[in-house]
Amino acid sequence: MAQQAFEDVVEDFEFLDDWEDRYRMVIEMGKAMEPLPDALKVPATKVEGCASQVWLHPRIADGTFHFEGDSDALIVRGLIAVLLRLYDGLPVSEVPRVDARAELARLGLTEALSAQRSNGLRAMIERIRTEAANAA
Amino acid sequence: MYDVAQIRRDFPILSREVNGKPLVYLDNGASAQKPQVVIDAITRGYAEEYANVHRGLHYLSNLATEKYEGVRDVIARFLGAPDPQEIVYTTGTTMGINLVAYGWAMPNLQAGDEIVLSVMEHHANIVPWHFLRERMGVTIKWVDVDSTGYLNPQKVIDAIGPKTRLIAITHLSNVLGTVVDVKTICHAARERGVATLVDGSQGAVHMPVDVADIGCDFYAITGHKLYGPSASGAIYIRRERMDQMQPFMGGGDMIREVHKDSITWNDPPMKFEAGTPGIVQQIGLGVALDYMMGLGMENIAAHETRLRDYARARLDGLNWISVQGTTPDKAAIFSFTMDGAAHAHDLSTILDKKGVAVRAGQHCTGPLMEHMGLTATCRASFGLYNTEAEVDSLVDALELAHDLFG
């Protein structure tokens, strides 16, 4: 079990039986996500290794991991919104224990991880883990 | 009669599925698929006729050498080169242009000399010239295209000054599909003693080429876009320019004699072909070019013109798609963006789910992207085996993307 915010997403996705609807949901989640302020779109928050532009801004307070993110691509924004449900609010020490690949597979989004290396999802997850490890 | 259904059967990969959908391969600008005759030539090359070339006196070495060297005649015929000895083998256009940069430009240019480029060049025809700018103080002069993607040849000719030594220009833009009037440019340059290099990566794929008629000094082609093996290719080098060149890479095959304190070069073109080459790749390229010439370059061009007209009409019908490059005689290469927030990678992701392969990104044309004020586009590039039904598949997939992102 992941945290509740992600379990809610899993529940929403259970009713979607084709890829079009799953992508539609991801895109909607991205559109609904608060954009990262331009002031935070700086080299320090930029995630390299992505085909589109991606930014992650972690905030760690009282041992809890928070982050905001953004991208200029809608699908990637949506994937950030999914990662937000997966990681945001976790105790820092638990971040590395999340098996992102397995959790995303529950949404039927594994190909977003495997086939599309270049969309930067891997790089984002790697960045989240590194930031959490540095704070721990 | 150009029978595209029959032609498609020559390309085994075209019958496969991607993501559960029939493959619609519209990424030919990046690399083309291979006909069975090329695949067979590669298999036979390794299974029955393989040895190193130019070395052994044994049967297989002679056989491989004969096949490998015979490709020079095929390429010369394909390009209209008067003499097969003016064809230098390369691994592709990138190597061809680097050969000119290191072998011709470095020994012949000096600080302050100018190289003229168009703003729509591929990085392969930009970066080698940046080397000269950084290392020798050579100046790069850029010529813009207009809002339709048209490159006025007179603007290129007007850019020639007393210090201009080389014009390096694409025959056909890999992003805009613009066909450049290289003949007018090359003839004017020749009159002024300026060397000309034509990047034929795309041009030679889509129309008949005659380097003697164009009047260029260098014409580079790349095999993998010509339905041939990857890492095959060639560059035509006019004899007078060849005589001005120094070897680029050193190694076996390009020398006549090597001593501890002296060296003599082999004759061109081998002077510029160091080391064991892509033997089987190059043999495969010969088969690919014969395949294209068998279909007829005029016939291929006519087929692709029909595809272009159909694709243009269908894409024009989508008022939320903006196509970059609108010259009337452009090739069947369509770069586009979708109005709204969707990124080119968003579009290509959805197209891929529908089995439609396109490229998304900068297309190795940073200066052109800056000129157009874009960070990325999607590009559908058609080839000799594509069909109008595939244009429909592209449009259907775009409509789905528009619905999803809309």
Side-chain angles (χ1 to χ4, degrees):
Chain A
M1 285 282 283
Q3 58 178 341
Q4 195 54 45
F6 187 77
E7 291 301 329
D8 292 345
V9 177
V10 173
E11 202 171 306
D12 289 342
F13 271 66
E14 271 169 11
F15 298 101
L16 309 174
D17 40 35
D18 67 9
W19 71 266
E20 289 182 29
D21 288 336
R22 286 197 294 274
Y23 270 69
R24 201 182 295 273
M25 182 76 93
V26 167
I27 293 161
E28 290 309 319
M29 287 172 70
K31 283 182 176 171
M33 185 175 71
E34 238 359 81
L36 192 68
D38 282 346
L40 292 175
K41 291 180 180 174
V42 293
T45 60
K46 185 119 183 245
V47 181
E48 298 299 334
C50 307
S52 51
Q53 300 200 80
V54 176
W55 299 270
L56 282 184
H57 178 246
R59 284 181 294 114
I60 290 147
D62 300 332
T64 305
F65 184 77
H66 294 283
F67 78 98
E68 301 157 280
D70 211 339
S71 169
D72 57 354
L74 291 174
I75 294 173
V76 179
R77 260 185 73 84
L79 293 172
I80 293 169
V82 171
L83 292 179
L84 208 52
R85 308 290 200 285
L86 192 56
Y87 287 108
D88 190 72
L90 279 184
V92 173
S93 57
E94 282 185 28
V95 167
R97 288 207 276 273
V98 174
D99 183 348
R101 172 182 281 270
E103 297 295 345
L104 288 165
R106 297 170 66 202
L107 304 180
L109 291 173
T110 30
E111 88 279 3
L113 259 179
S114 55
Q116 294 216 322
R117 255 168 234 254
S118 59
N119 72 13
L121 192 52
R122 268 169 213 248
M124 285 189 277
I125 292 167
E126 207 44 55
R127 180 68 164 260
I128 288 169
R129 294 168 69 97
T130 310
E131 296 282 0
N134 289 345
Chain B
M1 170 66 189
Y2 193 89
D3 185 351
V4 71
Q6 180 63 43
I7 289 166
R8 289 180 69 81
R9 285 196 280 277
D10 294 339
F11 291 79
I13 205 169
L14 296 181
S15 59
R16 70 159 287 170
E17 291 192 341
V18 166
N19 288 325
K21 304 283 189 306
L23 168 65
V24 176
Y25 188 77
L26 303 180
D27 196 18
N28 298 284
S31 202
Q33 302 299 345
K34 319 306 173 197
Q36 189 66 49
V37 284
V38 169
I39 298 165
D40 288 346
I42 293 166
T43 307
R44 193 169 54 248
Y46 284 122
E48 297 171 30
E49 299 169 343
Y50 188 76
N52 211 332
V53 292
H54 303 142
R55 285 163 172 85
L57 287 173
H58 57 82
Y59 178 85
L60 280 181
S61 180
N62 283 333
L63 181 63
T65 302
E66 206 169 293
K67 291 228 161 190
Y68 171 82
E69 277 301 322
V71 175
R72 246 181 258 279
D73 296 354
V74 181
I75 297 170
R77 201 152 28 87
F78 181 75
L79 291 178
D83 179 358
Q85 299 307 305
E86 292 176 310
I87 302 298
V88 175
Y89 288 166
T90 65
T91 56
T93 300
T94 298
M95 181 179 173
I97 297 176
N98 275 278
L99 168 64
V100 177
Y102 283 94
W104 180 80
M106 277 193 183
N108 289 288
L109 270 59
Q110 51 194 15
D113 283 347
E114 290 168 0
I115 296 173
V116 174
L117 305 180
S118 91
V119 74
M120 64 181 167
E121 298 311 314
H122 187 282
H123 292 164
N125 194 25
I126 295 174
V127 179
W129 312 122
H130 270 304
F131 288 169
L132 273 71
R133 182 187 59 76
E134 286 199 330
R135 299 173 196 179
M136 299 173 59
V138 165
T139 303
I140 299 175
K141 273 176 99 168
W142 297 92
V143 181
D144 281 345
V145 294
D146 74 11
S147 60
T148 68
Y150 172 66
L151 178 67
N152 186 340
Q154 192 56 48
K155 283 183 73 176
V156 180
I157 295 164
D158 290 345
I160 298 174
K163 293 274 200 178
T164 305
R165 299 287 171 260
L166 174 71
I167 297 171
I169 215 137
T170 186
H171 199 176
L172 201 173
S173 163
N174 66 313
V175 175
L176 305 171
T178 305
V179 178
V180 177
D181 180 2
V182 287
K183 181 177 174 177
T184 298
I185 293 167
C186 292
H187 282 253
R190 175 90 61 96
E191 280 171 19
R192 293 159 176 79
V194 175
T196 48
L197 177 145
V198 179
D199 175 352
S201 292
Q202 303 286 341
V205 182
H206 302 291
M207 57 195 170
V209 171
D210 186 331
V211 292
D213 181 58
I214 292 169
C216 54
D217 292 296
F218 307 98
Y219 193 101
I221 58 171
T222 197
H224 71 94
K225 294 191 206 292
L226 292 158
Y227 309 95
S230 51
S232 65
I235 182 166
Y236 158 79
I237 304 178
R238 206 161 60 84
R239 173 65 63 186
E240 290 85 337
R241 295 298 179 190
M242 225 177 228
D243 293 341
Q244 298 170 346
M245 286 173 68
Q246 288 179 2
F248 163 33
M249 293 197 5
D253 244 24
M254 51 80 71
I255 36 76
R256 180 160 294 135
E257 286 180 41
V258 180
H259 305 284
K260 283 181 178 160
D261 53 4
S262 69
I263 193 164
T264 52
W265 311 125
N266 205 332
D267 291 331
M270 286 178 63
K271 180 177 174 182
F272 306 108
E273 296 172 357
T276 295
I279 300 165
V280 175
Q281 289 94 316
Q282 210 66 12
I283 291 170
L285 173 60
V287 174
L289 298 182
D290 271 333
Y291 177 84
M292 291 182 83
M293 290 187 281
L295 293 176
M297 291 306 295
E298 297 282 359
N299 298 331
I300 292 170
H303 171 72
E304 293 182 1
T305 298
R306 284 191 296 275
L307 279 176
R308 175 202 68 195
D309 291 344
Y310 185 69
R312 178 149 54 194
R314 295 261 11 223
L315 291 171
D316 281 352
L318 307 176
N319 60 15
W320 33 268
I321 287 284
S322 306
V323 173
Q324 289 82 38
T326 52
T327 54
D329 64 341
K330 68 178 276 176
I333 295 175
F334 292 89
S335 287
F336 53 85
T337 49
M338 195 168 94
D339 296 356
H343 191 277
H345 290 105
D346 287 323
L347 272 183
S348 70
T349 301
I350 299 304
L351 297 190
D352 182 52
K353 296 290 285 180
K354 299 292 278 182
V356 180
V358 298
R359 180 164 173 186
Q362 286 216 335
H363 315 294
C364 300
T365 56
L368 177 63
M369 289 288 150
E370 275 176 22
H371 180 73
M372 296 194 299
L374 294 170
T375 52
T377 71
C378 264
R379 179 188 66 182
S381 50
F382 293 81
L384 61 82
Y385 40 60
N386 289 121
T387 64
E388 295 184 349
E390 291 181 305
V391 175
D392 293 337
S393 298
L394 168 67
V395 170
D396 289 348
L398 284 172
E399 279 172 339
L400 171 64
H402 184 237
D403 177 46
L404 283 171
F405 297 119

